[in-house]
Amino acid sequence: MDEQINCQKIKEEIKLVSIKELPFVMEIINDAKKLLVKDSLQWQQGYPNETTMDNDIKNSYLYGYYINNYLIGIVSLVPGIDINYLEIVNGSWENYPSESDLNIHRIAIRKDFHKKKLGEKLLKFAISFAKENNHKSIKLDTHVKNIAMQKISLNSGFSYKGIIYLKRDEVDNSRLAYELIV
């Protein structure tokens, strides 16, 4: 007699996050804050917070990586000029900040899913999104001690461009800047 084997099909998708998912988004943000505190002050001074993430959702900037409808990771894709990128030192942008930019912010993965290359999948999605929406350049930044994000950026085709200083009040506001021409 043949036995049937029940295999659950894994459904992976990246889509806009809904406002009802804000508590799950904050779980992911808090996971990231706990991870980052080991090496740096990145995300340790009240940012990002629930208001930041609520705004991302309401502006249709926040995309989620889902496995079987379970939110695993997030990325904010913000179009236009980012004031934090207007000044860059020890380097330069290939394309000076403009309305045709796509800026990647607040990328984070649920702690149980680290080291599964999901950050790279989110960046790959961002690159496709940029191409489909006629963005000319994709920019992102990360802390000098956030080695994982630096590796993900370089592995995804981004180039190191210099140092930017965040315009918000933080003890350690310098960030490494990366860019990918689409």
Side-chain angles (χ1 to χ4, degrees):
M1 180 187 228
D2 292 336
E3 292 184 35
Q4 281 190 315
I5 300 173
N6 291 329
C7 294
Q8 180 183 13
K9 183 172 175 154
I10 295 175
K11 178 184 172 191
E12 296 178 71
E13 64 181 329
I14 298 174
K15 63 183 180 180
L16 282 169
V17 174
S18 72
I19 196 67
K20 69 182 181 189
E21 296 173 295
L22 185 58
F24 304 113
V25 168
M26 293 313 300
E27 287 176 9
I28 293 169
I29 291 294
N30 290 328
D31 282 352
K33 286 181 178 186
K34 289 174 189 167
L35 179 69
L36 291 169
V37 74
K38 295 174 187 172
D39 296 319
S40 72
L41 293 176
Q42 186 178 6
W43 288 14
Q44 303 305 308
Q45 299 165 58
Y47 171 91
N49 55 37
E50 192 166 314
T51 301
T52 307
M53 304 318 298
D54 182 69
N55 287 335
D56 277 356
I57 294 169
K58 287 179 179 172
N59 286 305
S60 298
Y61 297 157
L62 192 65
Y63 287 82
Y65 182 89
Y66 296 82
I67 296 177
N68 294 339
N69 297 315
Y70 181 63
L71 183 60
I72 303 299
I74 56 169
V75 62
S76 294
L77 303 180
V78 183
I81 297 171
D82 185 318
I83 61 166
N84 294 293
Y85 296 162
L86 294 176
E87 297 175 39
I88 190 167
V89 297
N90 297 332
S92 64
W93 297 112
E94 192 165 331
N95 282 347
Y96 188 76
S98 73
E99 290 300 327
S100 66
D101 285 349
L102 182 65
N103 305 290
I104 298 176
H105 295 299
R106 297 171 288 283
I107 186 168
I109 306 296
R110 193 173 288 280
K111 68 180 174 183
D112 298 339
F113 292 87
H114 288 174
K115 301 186 189 244
K116 297 187 185 306
K117 302 214 181 268
L118 301 181
E120 288 174 356
K121 287 184 179 184
L122 285 170
L123 286 185
K124 184 177 179 182
F125 170 79
I127 294 165
S128 294
F129 179 93
K131 288 176 181 175
E132 291 168 12
N133 291 281
N134 299 313
H135 293 283
K136 307 255 184 289
S137 171
I138 307 172
K139 294 175 174 61
L140 63 86
D141 66 85
T142 193
H143 194 277
V144 68
K145 293 185 178 177
N146 190 339
I147 304 302
M149 190 62 203
Q150 292 171 47
K151 286 181 181 177
I152 291 168
S153 300
L154 293 171
N155 289 344
S156 298
F158 287 78
S159 298
Y160 171 74
K161 292 299 177 181
I163 298 172
I164 59 105
Y165 291 90
L166 301 174
K167 304 295 183 213
R168 59 180 182 265
D169 188 24
E170 289 194 13
V171 173
D172 182 5
N173 69 339
S174 68
R175 298 291 185 269
L176 303 179
Y178 294 83
E179 182 179 32
L180 179 82
I181 303 303
V182 183

